[in-house]
Amino acid sequence: MTQRTYQDACGAARTMDIVGERWALLIVRELIFGPKRFGDLRAGLPKASQNVLSQRLRELEQSGIVRRVQLGPPASVHAYELTGRGQQLESTLIELSRWGAGLPAEPGTEMSTDAFMLLLKALYRPPADAPLAARLGLRVGADAFEVEVDSSGISVARGRTGEVDATVTGTVAALRAVMFDDMPLRSAVSAGEIEVHGDLGTAERFFRLFSAPPG
């Protein structure tokens, strides 16, 4: 299939020639925090058919945005990762996530784990008077992330690379409720919706660092 083109010399138009097809930019979103197998991509984009997902991946490969790699032991499997050119789209995705955060979602729609982690980067707002320097582990299903915050910004990495102040385990829905729906972290822990291992006070302060989406 030939990709459609705007036939416009504008840089924005040329970018949309590459990532403007349905699902293309969301594939990039799912790969921001590291490589994924095809099955993992399908799990993050359950509404995308296998054929469409395969087609978009081929197009992104041809455009130098995505490349195929082989993950090492213990399981040597093929996966997809962003190239350096593809990784440059992260800042664009963060701005799109921030812009769209306040728009009403369709009833029954869900957010993938990687989309939620991107939202953390989009809505991080440290207080100027009492910045927090902390490192937390976030576990969502089979995924694990390490999030480091300080007055200069936020970093998110898949996996665990070092010691953390606290490890928080929960679903995306439960974590979003604590961050944006005024659910106290201790109440979520008491209800069994979230588990916290480590410094609970630091975890509470961490969850207050994110501005609620407008509206």
Side-chain angles (χ1 to χ4, degrees), residues 98 120-127 131-135 147-156 206 209-210:
R98 182 180 294 123
L120 297 190
K121 300 191 77 170
L123 299 183
Y124 178 62
R125 293 291 184 275
L132 173 68
R135 181 181 293 172
V147 183
E148 189 167 2
V149 295
D150 58 29
S151 59
S152 65
I154 178 173
S155 65
V156 178
F206 170 82
L209 297 176
F210 303 88

Side-chain angles (χ1 to χ4, degrees), residues 19-137:
V19 296
E21 292 286 352
R22 186 171 171 82
W23 301 111
L25 199 54
L26 297 189
I27 290 172
V28 176
R29 180 198 72 191
E30 292 297 305
L31 295 175
I32 284 292
F33 299 111
K36 284 188 174 184
R37 299 169 298 180
F38 185 82
D40 296 326
L41 284 170
R42 289 208 69 193
L45 300 168
K47 302 296 184 182
S49 71
Q50 180 171 328
N51 288 341
V52 169
L53 187 56
S54 296
Q55 177 67 35
R56 294 294 172 267
L57 283 166
R58 283 194 295 270
E59 293 167 354
L60 290 170
E61 281 188 84
Q62 292 166 3
S63 299
I65 304 299
V66 167
R67 61 182 165 227
R68 276 186 261 197
V69 295
Q70 185 163 332
L71 301 181
S76 294
V77 295
H78 292 290
Y80 296 88
E81 72 175 8
L82 295 178
T83 63
R85 183 78 167 157
Q87 200 69 45
Q88 291 174 357
L89 289 166
E90 179 179 2
S91 59
T92 299
L93 279 164
I94 288 173
E95 290 302 323
L96 287 172
S97 180
R98 182 180 294 123
W99 189 87
L103 299 177
E106 291 293 328
T109 56
E110 299 179 356
M111 177 180 288
S112 76
T113 302
D114 288 74
F116 174 70
M117 303 309 295
L118 195 70
L119 185 65
L120 297 190
K121 300 191 77 170
L123 299 183
Y124 178 62
R125 293 291 184 275
D129 56 339
L132 173 68
R135 181 181 293 172
L136 268 74

Side-chain angles (χ1 to χ4, degrees), residues 8 10 48 82 86 90 105 108 128 132 134 138 178 188:
D8 189 317
C10 166
L82 295 178
E90 179 179 2
L132 173 68
L138 292 183
V178 172

Side-chain angles (χ1 to χ4, degrees), residues 133-139 144-149 157 159-168 196-200 202-203:
R135 181 181 293 172
L136 268 74
L138 292 183
R139 294 186 177 277
F145 294 84
E146 193 170 280
V147 183
E148 189 167 2
V149 295
R160 288 285 297 274
T161 60
E163 294 296 320
V164 295
D165 297 292
T167 299
V168 180
V196 178
H197 298 280
D199 189 336
L200 179 60
T202 295

